Amino acid sequence: MFAIETENLTKYYGKHRGVVSLFLQVKEGQIFGYLGPNGAGKTTTIRLLMNLIGPMDGNAKVLGLDLNKSGLEARRHIGYLPGELSLYEDLTGKELLNYLGNLGRSVDWALVAYLSELFECDLTRPIRELSRGNKQKIGLIQAFMHKPDLLILDEPTIGLDPLMQHAFLELLERVKKEGRTVFLSSHNLGEVEKSCDEIGIIREGKLVAVESVESLKQKFLKHIEVEFKSAPPLEAFAGITNIIDIKPKGTVFEFVIQGELDPMLKRIAEFEVENLTSHDISLEDIFMDYYSGEMENA
Amino acid sequence: MLRSVYTKTLREISTSLLWWSVGLFGYVFFSCYFYPVIASKASAFVQLIKDVSLMNFFTGASGDFVTPQGYLFSEFFSAIGPLLLIIFSIGFGADAIAGEENRKTADLLLSNPITRSRIILDKFLVLLTGNFVLSLALWLGFLLGGHIYHIQIDSLKLIQTNLGMFLLSLSFGSLAFMVSAWLGQKGLASSISTLISVISYFLWGFGSMVNSLKPYEKLSLFYYYAGDNPLKKGLSSKSALILLVPAVVCLIVALGTYEKRDIRI
Ligand SMILES: Nc1ncnc2c1ncn2[C@@H]1O[C@H](COP(=O)(O)OP(=O)(O)O)[C@@H](O)[C@H]1O
Ligand SMILES: [Mg+2]
C-alpha cells in the first residue's frame, strides 16, 4: 500500500503556478526525499497533503484515506513539521506540546523525554527566548511525539547544527525500523542522499523524476579534478566507458564521470598524482547534467 | 488553560481583558462619583444651548444632563461606553482567525485532528466571553457607584442597557470575526468593521439632527440599542432580537467560508 498517493494534483495561486498534475506515490515504510530548488512547489505539495490548502484539480490519499472526506482522521496519524515554522511564543516548549496534545493527538510523554534529550532541548523555557535552531527542535518533537504512522516534514534540518542533523538522522533510522513512513522535503541533495530510500525531484511544479537513491547516484555526473606531476597522454583513459568527458588544462585534468569511480581511480593511480578534488554534486548540477536533455526535448 | 482552543485563546487575551475591565469599571465608577457636581452645573449648560437638536447630539439624543438616567446615558452609554467595547470587540474579532495566520501558527494548529468549525466556535466563544466580561465590569461599576453615591437607576433597565451594549459590540466584533475567518486578513477585518461602526454611529448621531438623514437612521445598529434612552425606556425585545441577528449571521458565514478556504502563509 502507499502512504501517500496523489493523482493529477494541481494547484495554482491565481495565475501563479504551485504544482501541476502531480502523480506521487510514496510506499509505506519508506523514507522519501522530496527534492527541489526553492519555489519548486515542495511546500505547496505538503500543504495540500495537510488539507491546509485545497487542490484545483486531482485528489490525494494519505494512509489510504481520501483527504476530501477523511482529512481529520488522516491527520490523527500524521506528524507534521511546517516549512516556515512558527510556534506560540507565549508558551514554554512543554506547554506547547501539552496544548497540541490536547487537540486530538495522543502524546507519548516517555517519547517526548527521549526526544528532548536526543536534541538537547530545554522544554521549560518560554519559546520566545529560544534560538531558531531550538525552535526547530521543538517543531520536530511535536511532529514525532504521538508516534505517527506518517511524518510529513518540510525542510526539517533547516536551522539545525551538524550535530543535531546527525541526531535527526538517528531518529529517522528509528522510525524506519518501526516500519513507519517519512516524507521529507529538501533543496539539498547531500542531505536526502544520506537519509532517504527514494527521491522524487520536483522542478517548476512538476515531478520530473522518482528514483531510488542508488540509481540516482549511478546517474549523477561527478566532477573530479586531478593534478598530475606531469600530464599523462589522453589515450591513457580511453576505453573507460564511464568517463564522459576530460578537460585537460596543463597538468590539471577535469574528469566528468557517471556512476562508478573505481575504474578511473585505478587508471590515474598509474601516474603520479599531486592533488585530487571532487566537487559536491549540487541540485543544479543534476538539472544541468542529467535532465538538460529532457528539458530541451520538452 | 491549555485544554482547548477556547481556553488557550482566552489565556492569550486574559491580561488585556483584565485591564480593560478595570479601566471600564473605574471609568463608570467615577462617572457616578461626579454625578452630583455635573448635575448642578448642567442646568446652566442646558440653558446655554438653545438649539434642541444640537443639545440632543451632545447628550446622545436624550437632551438631558440633569436626571441620573440622562446624565449617565449621555456621559457613558451613548458614546464612550459602546465605542470602547466595540474597539475591544473589533480588536479581538479581527485577530481571532487571521491572527494565527499573521503569526504563522495556523499551519501548526490546523495540522491537528481538529475540525475548522471547532476552531471557529471556540474562538467565537472567546469573543462572546470577552464582551460579556467587559459588560459585567460595566454593570458592576454602575451597581457599586450608584449604590455608594446614591444614584437612583432602575436596576432592570440598567441590565437591559448593558445587554443592548453587549449585543451592539458583539455585532461589530462578529463582523470583524467574519472577515477575519473569511479572508484571513487581520488589517482588512478591523478596518472594514471600524469603518462600518463609525458610519453606523454617525448615521444614528446625525440622524436625530439632520432631517435628510432621518430615514437612514434605522440602518444603524446604534438606533436599536439607543433609539430612546434605554436607561429610561429599557430595551424592547424586538430591538434585542435585531441586535442579535448580525452576530448569528456573521458566525454562520464564518463557519461556511473558513471550512474550505486556503490557509495563508
Ligand atoms: N500564497 C501564495 N500565493 C502566490 N504564490 C505562491 C503562494 N505560495 C507559493 N506560491 C508560489 O508557488 C510556487 C511554489 O512555492 P512553494 O511550494 O513554496 O515552493 P518550495 O517549497 O519548493 O520552495 C512558488 O513560485 C511560489 O512563489
Ligand atoms: Mg518551501
Side-chain angles (χ1 to χ4, degrees), chain A residues 11 47 51 86 88 102 105, chain B residues 2 100 103 112 262-263:
Chain A
K11 176 74 182 176
R47 296 183 84 237
N51 262 356
S86 203
Y88 295 100
N102 284 332
R105 297 191 260 159
Chain B
L2 296 168
E100 299 254 8
R103 294 185 289 275
N112 290 288
D262 287 358
I263 302 303

Side-chain angles (χ1 to χ4, degrees), chain A residues 119-225:
Chain A
F119 288 125
E120 295 166 15
C121 183
D122 184 357
L123 293 178
T124 61
R125 282 176 65 186
I127 289 167
R128 80 181 94 81
E129 292 176 7
L130 300 179
S131 68
R132 168 141 191 215
N134 281 319
K135 287 179 186 167
Q136 187 74 359
K137 292 176 193 173
I138 291 181
L140 282 169
I141 293 176
Q142 67 79 30
F144 284 84
M145 69 179 178
H146 54 299
K147 292 200 161 174
D149 297 324
L150 170 64
L151 284 135
I152 296 183
L153 312 172
D154 197 352
E155 313 230 8
T157 53
I158 276 193
L160 295 184
D161 59 46
L163 209 64
M164 289 305 135
Q165 292 192 14
H166 190 78
F168 174 68
L169 291 183
E170 212 178 296
L171 189 59
L172 288 188
E173 278 307 306
R174 184 182 153 141
V175 166
K176 188 175 152 69
K177 263 190 210 130
E178 291 166 358
R180 298 189 275 148
T181 312
V182 180
F183 181 85
L184 65 86
S185 77
S186 173
H187 61 264
N188 182 335
L189 177 67
E191 179 181 291
V192 292
E193 192 187 12
K194 268 179 244 160
S195 53
C196 297
D197 304 313
E198 202 162 29
I199 292 180
I201 297 178
I202 180 171
R203 187 190 160 113
E204 289 172 6
K206 293 184 183 126
L207 195 64
V208 289
V210 178
E211 305 253 4
S212 73
V213 170
E214 283 314 308
S215 78
L216 203 56
K217 272 184 185 164
Q218 285 300 311
K219 287 176 176 160
F220 288 155
L221 299 186
K222 301 185 184 80
H223 295 252
I224 299 204
E225 240 176 55

Side-chain angles (χ1 to χ4, degrees), chain A residues 91-138:
Chain A
L91 304 180
T92 66
K94 177 111 188 194
E95 285 171 335
L96 177 83
L97 301 182
N98 216 330
Y99 177 48
L100 296 176
N102 284 332
L103 301 181
R105 297 191 260 159
S106 49
V107 182
D108 179 343
W109 287 102
L111 181 60
V112 169
Y114 165 82
L115 291 171
S116 62
E117 199 153 312
L118 179 72
F119 288 125
E120 295 166 15
C121 183
D122 184 357
L123 293 178
T124 61
R125 282 176 65 186
I127 289 167
R128 80 181 94 81
E129 292 176 7
L130 300 179
S131 68
R132 168 141 191 215
N134 281 319
K135 287 179 186 167
Q136 187 74 359
K137 292 176 193 173
I138 291 181

Side-chain angles (χ1 to χ4, degrees), chain A residues 35 38 105 121 126 144-145 152-153 159 165 167 217 220 224 226 229-230 241-242 247 254 262 270-271 273:
Chain A
L35 190 64
N38 284 329
R105 297 191 260 159
C121 183
F144 284 84
M145 69 179 178
I152 296 183
L153 312 172
Q165 292 192 14
K217 272 184 185 164
F220 288 155
I224 299 204
V226 183
K229 184 112 184 169
S230 57
T241 48
N242 56 359
K247 293 171 197 144
E254 190 188 331
D262 196 57
E270 291 167 13
F271 305 89
V273 176

Side-chain angles (χ1 to χ4, degrees), chain A residues 243-259:
Chain A
I243 296 182
I244 302 290
D245 193 15
I246 304 176
K247 293 171 197 144
K249 281 180 219 125
T251 57
V252 180
F253 282 47
E254 190 188 331
F255 294 88
V256 181
I257 294 163
Q258 185 169 40

